[in-house]
Amino acid sequence: MDTPMPRSGRHRRGIRIGLPVAAAGVAAAVAAALLTTSAEAATPLPQPTAAPATATAAASVPPAELQRRVAGALAGDDTAGRTSGKTTLSASTGTRTATVDPKIIGGTTTTVTSAPWMAQLWYYDDRGTTTESDDLGFFCGGAVVAPTKILTAAHCVKGYNWYKYGAVVTGTAQLPTTTSSGGSDLHGGTVSLPWRQWNHPSYNARTIDNDIAVITLANAVRATPIRMTTSGDTTSYKAGTSAKVYGWGRTSSTSDDVSETLRTATLPVQSDATCAAAYGADYVKGHMVCAGKPATGSDTGTTTACNGDSGGPLVVGGRIAGVVSWGVEDCVTKGAYSVFSKVTSYVGAVYPRIDDTDISGDHYADVWMRQASTKTGYSRNSKGTSLAASESWGNWNGVNVVLQTDLNWDGYQDLVVRESSGGDLYWEHYVASSGSWARKKLADNWTSRTRIVVPGDVNGDYLPDLLSVDSAGVLWTYPGKGNGTFAARVRVGGGWNQYDTLRGHGDFNGDGRTDLIARSKSNGAVYLYRGTGKAGAGAFAARIKVRTYTNKTYNAFDLVGDVSGDGKADFLARTPAGKLWLYPGTGKAGSEIFGTPKSLGTTFKQYDIFG
């Protein structure tokens, strides 16, 4: 390893930051209506007997340790996606000889006010030996897409233990500098612990394909999130569209020095044909997008992403359209372009990572249920195709609705609960700082509500919403504010009391928007209502019949998100005899919406409430 960088932070030596290695010729990169009050205090609901173990563990890493990780990474000279000493992979595609070196030259400095969502990802693994040669330290960029969620590149995440060795800095345009005590000066930024990590399951380290990932933080940050573009977006990718890339990467092809201050550059989006002509088979249409004017062969006249920008966002119209993925070595080879992961193609896979029902912290949506005879609540953690043993949450008598959600998007599982007597609605949420659960009343007397649903973000503002059907069959949306409060309700439409089941959590057709599943009382027909990302009457598209399940086939359903962990929302159905089936989502609409069902067990007749 190189010696630690000077405290001034200038002329950092050997920071080859955040770029993966792949094949030759391709490289581097580049309340009012709902929130009511009551004069009488409601009887407190039973509280869970214990918080999830991972919640306590996530809050246990002290800030000093995170500062140490940042300081260690500052002195690092490794590249994300490649450990020290590993040879560069090369490709046999065409005659190109440039080394693949996944990694802003040109552009201007900018402020955190202009890009409040930017994040710095620092990774430092001190192997504990007497030599520093086997230590691992590198840096990547990222973007805050929810209070605890960082969107970045898979080559910055895959194969690394971010909980054990990582730190994420937000709220500053400056890179940290080392201090005399061996710590780091964050220049007004905030350092957070990476709690969970996910990368696209089909990420290919050789080709740098499907290069997208999400890091979940142990605490919510104050940084203003930026939204991803939507599935099916074509406008952002039209040739000539103006896009902005952000990062702290190299500012010259002839020096390893990175920028002390956040920089941005404007790049024109290029067509797939142009990108494929430059990179051949290394460019994967539909998964990648390239941008910029063709490099000139030198810094002069070239504007491009470079080493150190990996994982950062390419922004079009205020939304993330790309994630810095790869480009040519040293970034300025004549005719080269910066290559980005095409976010519109990955929204369906990423969305379940942003709004999940994961109790155990392993990126699988888990199941909460109540035993009818004892009124004991239980959670069972998903293992992908099976459920782990039950974990007791204590006595949950006196309630008739329990729904799994995360209304404040702090990364911890919440519950929305309705009392049997009086119908008051409460939000039960875990507070990591105190290690305890808190409760907040959401509404008075919702006894007449025939359905209550917490499907996630309905209106496209990246904040979890709440739905209810009143006694007249009218469906209402309560736009969430991200803190357990809601704006005035918005009418969606009538006729919803024709369904005996209305469930939703996640995206079933792969477009990154929240959907609903409804079953007809009269004939058991099951319908998909695709979300549109809009509020009011246009919140859901026309229904599509996807199955017929009468009450004799299944008498209970549960939708908690991505149980199988493949990036698609799944469907749970219980037979009258008590057998629970997992229907894995396919990401398609129509009769092919679910894959082959898998049995989760035969003892589920005993439960009367599913979360």
Side-chain angles (χ1 to χ4, degrees):
M1 298 290 287
D2 294 316
T3 55
M5 276 158 279
R7 288 176 208 150
S8 66
R10 299 182 183 278
H11 308 297
R12 284 191 171 74
R13 198 169 156 235
I15 289 202
R16 301 180 200 111
I17 300 181
L19 310 167
V21 176
V26 245
V30 204
L34 173 64
L35 184 58
T36 56
T37 58
S38 174
E40 296 180 329
T43 303
L45 296 177
Q47 297 296 298
T49 55
T54 49
T56 303
S60 64
V61 179
E65 165 61 15
L66 299 179
Q67 294 260 2
R68 186 193 70 81
R69 295 178 187 181
V70 173
L74 279 166
D77 63 356
D78 295 293
T79 298
R82 174 179 60 195
T83 56
S84 178
K86 183 176 180 181
T87 57
T88 301
L89 301 174
S90 44
S92 55
T93 54
T95 59
R96 299 186 177 276
T97 59
T99 304
V100 174
D101 185 15
K103 12 189 172 292
I104 285 172
I105 294 175
T108 59
T109 59
T110 189
T111 65
V112 71
T113 302
S114 300
W117 23 261
M118 282 301 293
Q120 304 167 16
L121 280 57
W122 297 95
Y123 190 92
Y124 178 59
D125 179 6
D126 181 350
R127 302 299 172 86
T129 62
T130 56
T131 176
E132 293 182 342
S133 61
D134 61 348
D135 292 349
L136 179 64
F138 64 84
F139 167 92
C140 276
V144 179
V145 292
T148 63
K149 307 289 181 176
I150 308 296
L151 184 71
T152 188
H155 72 257
C156 297
V157 172
K158 175 68 172 178
Y160 302 108
N161 187 332
W162 276 89
Y163 172 75
K164 193 172 182 179
Y165 300 114
V168 174
V169 175
T170 56
T172 180
Q174 301 298 120
L175 288 185
T177 49
T178 54
T179 64
S180 57
S181 62
S184 50
D185 182 351
L186 302 182
H187 302 291
T190 300
V191 64
S192 299
L193 172 70
W195 175 21
R196 295 187 264 141
Q197 63 188 68
W198 171 88
N199 59 263
H200 195 283
S202 298
Y203 167 64
N204 187 315
R206 184 182 67 82
T207 61
I208 319 178
D209 190 16
N210 302 304
D211 190 16
I212 199 159
V214 174
I215 287 178
T216 300
L217 305 178
N219 60 282
V221 296
R222 294 183 178 180
T224 302
I226 182 173
R227 302 180 197 177
M228 296 180 292
T229 191
T230 56
S231 177
D233 173 19
T234 57
T235 302
S236 298
Y237 303 99
K238 290 182 178 178
T241 298
S242 180
K244 284 190 173 184
V245 63
Y246 295 82
W248 288 271
R250 290 169 60 185
T251 59
S252 171
S253 63
T254 60
S255 170
D256 282 339
D257 287 353
V258 295
S259 177
E260 300 291 337
T261 304
L262 180 65
R263 295 177 71 84
T264 184
T266 300
L267 307 175
V269 173
Q270 297 294 337
S271 68
D272 284 330
T274 298
C275 303
Y279 292 116
D282 291 328
Y283 179 83
V284 182
K285 181 181 178 180
H287 292 188
M288 301 175 186
V289 59
C290 79
K293 295 180 179 179
T296 64
S298 70
D299 292 354
T300 304
T302 298
T303 302
T304 180
C306 197
N307 301 78
D309 295 319
S310 274
L314 181 73
V315 179
V316 176
R319 298 195 179 209
I320 302 177
V323 171
V324 178
S325 183
W326 59 266
V328 295
E329 188 173 21
D330 291 330
C331 314
V332 299
T333 300
K334 190 170 183 179
Y337 302 94
S338 301
V339 182
F340 306 80
S341 299
K342 193 173 185 179
V343 170
T344 185
S345 299
Y346 296 107
V347 171
V350 171
Y351 185 77
R353 313 281 77 83
I354 295 177
D355 180 25
D356 56 23
T357 49
D358 181 11
I359 296 173
S360 59
D362 60 3
H363 283 294
Y364 295 99
D366 303 316
V367 182
W368 195 99
M369 61 199 79
R370 187 184 72 172
Q371 189 176 44
S373 60
T374 66
K375 308 304 181 186
T376 302
Y378 294 96
S379 62
R380 295 191 63 175
N381 298 331
S382 171
K383 294 183 175 182
T385 58
S386 63
L387 298 178
S390 298
E391 179 181 359
S392 174
W393 282 49
N395 187 354
W396 286 77
N397 192 21
V399 302
N400 56 20
V401 171
V402 179
L403 299 170
Q404 296 168 241
T405 184
D406 185 5
L407 290 185
N408 57 354
W409 275 18
D410 62 356
Y412 298 105
Q413 175 78 77
D414 304 337
L415 297 175
V416 169
V417 182
R418 183 176 67 179
E419 289 184 335
S420 303
S421 176
D424 290 349
L425 196 70
Y426 290 90
W427 171 42
E428 307 276 350
H429 58 288
Y430 182 73
V431 181
S433 60
S434 63
S436 61
W437 287 77
R439 68 196 304 261
K440 177 184 178 66
K441 181 184 281 191
L442 298 178
D444 286 321
N445 191 21
W446 268 28
T447 304
S448 62
R449 304 301 167 119
T450 60
R451 297 287 178 268
I452 302 172
V453 189
V454 281
D457 171 27
V458 173
N459 61 356
D461 64 358
Y462 265 37
L463 296 171
D465 304 317
L466 185 147
L467 302 176
S468 79
V469 178
D470 64 22
S471 58
V474 176
L475 178 66
W476 300 90
T477 299
Y478 296 84
K481 296 182 178 181
N483 60 1
T485 64
F486 298 84
R489 68 181 187 176
V490 182
R491 190 179 192 272
V492 177
W496 291 84
N497 274 343
Q498 66 181 294
Y499 303 116
D500 63 2
T501 294
L502 183 63
R503 288 279 190 168
H505 197 109
D507 165 31
F508 281 91
N509 66 324
D511 64 0
R513 301 182 179 99
T514 295
D515 305 320
L516 296 179
I517 299 287
R519 185 178 70 170
S520 170
K521 290 179 181 178
S522 61
N523 58 16
V526 178
Y527 297 96
L528 167 68
Y529 280 89
R530 295 167 296 165
T532 64
K534 301 176 182 178
F540 300 98
R543 70 184 188 180
I544 300 172
K545 184 178 177 180
V546 295
R547 287 287 193 278
T548 298
Y549 294 142
T550 68
N551 203 49
K552 293 181 180 179
T553 305
Y554 296 118
N555 63 358
F557 301 103
D558 201 10
L559 278 69
V560 292
D562 181 14
V563 177
S564 62
D566 62 358
K568 303 177 182 70
D570 302 317
F571 185 79
L572 300 177
R574 185 190 67 183
T575 68
K579 190 169 187 176
L580 187 66
W581 291 95
L582 164 65
Y583 282 85
T586 62
K588 300 176 182 179
S591 59
E592 70 276 23
I593 187 171
F594 305 128
T596 304
K598 299 176 176 61
S599 174
L600 296 180
T602 60
T603 60
F604 291 86
K605 186 177 182 179
Q606 61 184 307
Y607 300 107
D608 62 346
I609 294 178
F610 288 88

